[in-house]
């Protein structure tokens, strides 16, 4: 059996590995020229953590993870700490089943884990963008294999081209949550690194929030989120660095130093969820953010991408004909959709605490975080934070 996987991100690589282990020949096409080096720090817990353990990649993820003792909120004028999240307490509220991972490291672990599959069973083709208009082009050897695949998995992210080819324009399915987020990693800033080495610091601010973290290799990661309606809208002609400097300039001096070094093309996108009535048509199916994006507010998108990939491939892996593949895809959707909907609802609930829209909400969040350091309240608050949402900067209390 042959599969074509579009997108070598989290869902795509996880699907490719599991299918190859089930005896399939898999071609993965990825538009980027190689694994992405840029990214952001992620909480990794929940269903994806469990799935990663079952499929045997957890030890490698542990090795790639960061040790974060706490997340600090600071007053942007004085730099004084206003509140903090005790990460060790969160980890214990989750039974220790929490990792802090840079997204590129997660991708690299999954790429490396393709080596567990039989030799030659997975081929990853970088620098090959999928285009609907060319999908049936069998003029090349790769084109012929893609066109002749028994199963096509669209794992090409929130703005999925496979989804567009199957079901139409993304405006029907991508639901913006009113925020934008940007992230990038810079090199050659030893002053910033020395100040933030091993510390995850977020500004305790209304409508816009900037985060900074010193990585173990000397680089510094930036994370910027803001409410679109509180700014002057997004001018499509304004490039991302200009917009980020306009929105965040003057917020806090370390952030100004980060903005000076903002690359030409940072990660910069709307914070959105994806909701669509069907996830498959015939033998083509969507996986990961393309059909189930929960958004960074839910803090479990990557985790859900792995867990969804495990379920999909468990169901479809044993299939050896078109009818059973289609039945398996229906079953995947039937079982997985309610789980996704629950995480999406939790993500939407977290929006106002993640990025307070006014000072009252800001103070409420500060109070809740401080209360969480008191005995008795801590376990309650921490479980509620970890229950439906991510942790860093996503205080769903
Ligand atoms: C700032 C931020 C913080 C986050 N924090 C967390 C967190 O704490 N915990 C967590 O679990 N999740 C988090 N997430 C969510 C998580 O990153 C995503 O849910 C996850 O990456 C989705 O995986 P995916 O494989 O579906 O999509 P992606 O990771 O987006 O991968 C899609 C791949 O498809 C490729 N592609 C796209 N179009 C094409 C095409 N036409 N042809 C070929 N290839 C194509 C892309 O280049 C990419 O490699 C966060 C997200 C953001 C933005």
């Amino acid at each position: 059996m042959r599969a074509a996987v579009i997108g070598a991100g989290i869902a795509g690589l996880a699907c490719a590995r599991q299918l190859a282990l089930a005896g399939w020949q898999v071609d993965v096409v990825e538009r980027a020229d190689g694994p992405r080096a840029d990214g952001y720090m992620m909480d990794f817990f929940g269903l994806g953590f469990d799935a990663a353990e079952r499929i045997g990649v957890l030890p490698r993820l542990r090795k790639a993870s960061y040790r974060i003792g706490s997340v600090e909120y600071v007053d942007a004028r004085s730099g004084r700490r206003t509140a903090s999240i005790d990460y060790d307490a969160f980890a214990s509220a989750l039974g220790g089943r929490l990792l802090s991972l840079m997204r590129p490291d997660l991708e690299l672990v999954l790429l490396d884990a393709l080596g567990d599959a039989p030799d030659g069973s997975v081929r990853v083709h970088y620098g090959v963008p999928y285009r609907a208009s060319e999908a049936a082009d069998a003029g090349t050897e790769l084109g012929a294999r893609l066109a002749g695949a028994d199963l096509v998995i669209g794992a090409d992210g929130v703005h999925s081209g496979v989804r567009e080819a199957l079901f139409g324009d993304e405006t029907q399915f991508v639901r913006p949550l009113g925020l934008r987020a940007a992230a990038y990693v810079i090199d050659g800033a030893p002053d910033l690194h020395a100040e933030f080495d091993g510390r995850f610091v977020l500004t305790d601010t209304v409508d816009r929030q900037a985060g900074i973290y010193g990585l173990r290799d000397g680089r510094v990661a930036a994370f910027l989120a803001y409410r679109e309606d509180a700014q002057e809208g997004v001018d499509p002609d304004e490039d991302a660095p200009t917009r980020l400097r306009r929105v965040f300039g003057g917020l806090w001096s370390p952030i100004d130093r980060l903005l000076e070094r903002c690359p030409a093309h940072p990660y910069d996108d709307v914070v959105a969820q994806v909701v669509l009535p069907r996830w498959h048509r015939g033998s083509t199916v969507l996986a990961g953010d393309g059909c189930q994006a929960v958004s960074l507010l839910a803090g479990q998108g990557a985790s859900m991408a792995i867990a969804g990939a495990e379920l999909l491939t468990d169901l479809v892996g044993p299939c050896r004909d078109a009818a059973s593949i289609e039945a398996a895809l229906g079953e995947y959707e039937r079982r997985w959709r309610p789980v996704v909907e629950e995480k999406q609802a939790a993500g939407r609930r977290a929006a106002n605490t993640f990025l307070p829209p006014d000072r009252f909400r800001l103070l409420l969040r500060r109070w809740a975080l401080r209360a969480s350091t008191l005995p008795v309240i801590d376990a309650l608050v921490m479980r509620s934070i970890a229950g439906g949402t991510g942790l860093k900067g996503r205080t769903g209390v």
Side-chain angles (χ1 to χ4, degrees):
M1 302 297 284
R2 290 192 172 279
V5 176
I6 316 301
I10 312 303
L13 291 173
C15 285
R17 175 181 184 268
Q18 295 310 104
L19 280 180
L21 287 171
W24 289 58
Q25 290 292 314
V26 187
D27 282 292
V28 184
V29 294
E30 165 59 50
R31 75 174 166 200
D33 290 334
R36 285 196 272 170
D38 228 348
Y40 33 84
M41 185 63 80
M42 300 192 308
D43 305 312
F44 187 75
F45 66 104
L47 297 174
F49 190 105
D50 301 343
E53 186 169 45
R54 281 192 298 269
I55 68 175
V57 297
L58 193 58
R60 282 170 269 191
L61 291 178
R62 274 195 200 287
K63 232 171 138 187
S65 69
Y66 279 80
R67 159 94 177 77
I68 295 182
S70 71
V71 174
E72 301 164 47
Y73 282 90
V74 295
D75 180 294
R77 273 166 308 197
S78 63
R80 195 176 44 85
R81 183 195 283 219
T82 53
S84 64
I85 302 175
D86 180 345
Y87 244 60
D88 293 335
F90 275 125
S92 21
L94 293 168
R97 300 174 72 76
L98 163 71
L99 295 176
S100 293
L101 285 163
M102 284 295 285
R103 189 201 168 283
D105 293 337
L106 172 55
E107 190 177 305
L108 285 180
V109 166
L110 293 173
L111 191 63
D112 175 70
L114 295 180
D116 302 343
D119 279 354
S121 56
V122 187
R123 281 177 271 193
V124 183
H125 311 271
Y126 284 103
V128 182
Y130 160 87
R131 285 190 196 90
S133 55
E134 295 170 7
D137 178 9
T140 61
E141 197 203 326
L142 173 61
R145 284 209 304 276
L146 297 179
D150 301 289
L151 171 69
V152 177
I153 299 181
D156 49 346
V158 172
H159 304 291
S160 168
V162 176
R163 185 187 59 221
E164 182 168 328
L166 284 186
F167 301 115
D169 184 67
E170 73 169 43
T171 52
Q172 305 167 73
F173 314 121
V174 176
R175 301 196 174 168
L177 298 176
L179 316 180
R180 282 188 80 85
Y184 55 91
V185 177
I186 61 164
D187 214 346
D191 51 332
L192 278 174
H193 188 265
E195 198 174 337
F196 295 98
D197 187 13
R199 291 173 65 204
F200 197 110
V201 181
L202 289 159
T203 60
D204 195 13
T205 35
V206 169
D207 283 338
R208 51 190 182 147
Q209 182 176 69
I212 183 165
Y213 182 76
L215 301 176
R216 58 183 160 232
D217 59 5
R219 294 181 304 154
V220 177
F223 168 68
L224 305 159
Y226 59 99
R227 276 180 194 279
E228 280 189 286
D229 53 4
Q231 311 304 327
E232 281 153 30
V234 174
D235 172 357
D237 295 329
E238 190 178 30
D239 61 53
T242 309
R243 183 170 55 249
L244 295 174
R245 286 187 191 114
R246 176 169 61 77
V247 174
F248 289 93
L251 180 68
W252 187 34
S253 60
I255 302 301
D256 284 340
R257 280 142 69 200
L258 265 182
L259 288 170
E260 275 166 25
R261 296 177 168 92
C262 179
H265 303 288
Y267 169 84
D268 172 58
D269 202 357
V270 289
V271 175
Q273 297 186 331
V274 170
V275 179
L276 73 162
R278 288 195 66 187
W279 293 355
H280 76 282
R281 176 167 284 166
S283 59
T284 303
V285 65
L286 300 170
D289 273 6
C291 60
Q292 64 176 47
V294 292
S295 86
L296 70 93
L297 300 177
Q300 298 186 49
S303 169
M304 292 288 286
I306 292 181
E310 186 201 25
L311 176 64
L312 171 60
T313 53
D314 275 356
L315 290 166
V316 89
C319 298
R320 292 295 177 260
D321 61 64
S324 59
I325 289 175
E326 207 172 333
L329 300 186
E331 182 63 7
Y332 152 68
E333 201 174 315
R334 194 185 66 73
R335 285 207 222 164
W336 195 234
R337 184 184 285 280
V339 183
V340 170
E341 285 174 351
E342 189 202 316
K343 305 290 177 212
Q344 290 183 325
R348 288 192 297 273
R349 280 197 301 274
N352 281 348
T353 36
F354 167 73
L355 196 52
D358 51 49
R359 195 158 164 74
F360 173 70
R361 294 274 191 169
L362 181 97
L363 294 175
L364 203 62
R365 180 178 72 179
R366 207 178 281 174
W367 175 84
L369 287 174
R370 284 181 185 162
S372 73
T373 59
L374 302 174
V376 185
I377 300 183
D378 64 344
L380 204 74
V381 172
M382 282 167 197
R383 245 175 255 126
S384 90
I385 292 175
T389 71
L391 311 181
K392 279 188 279 299
R394 277 179 296 271
T395 48
V397 283

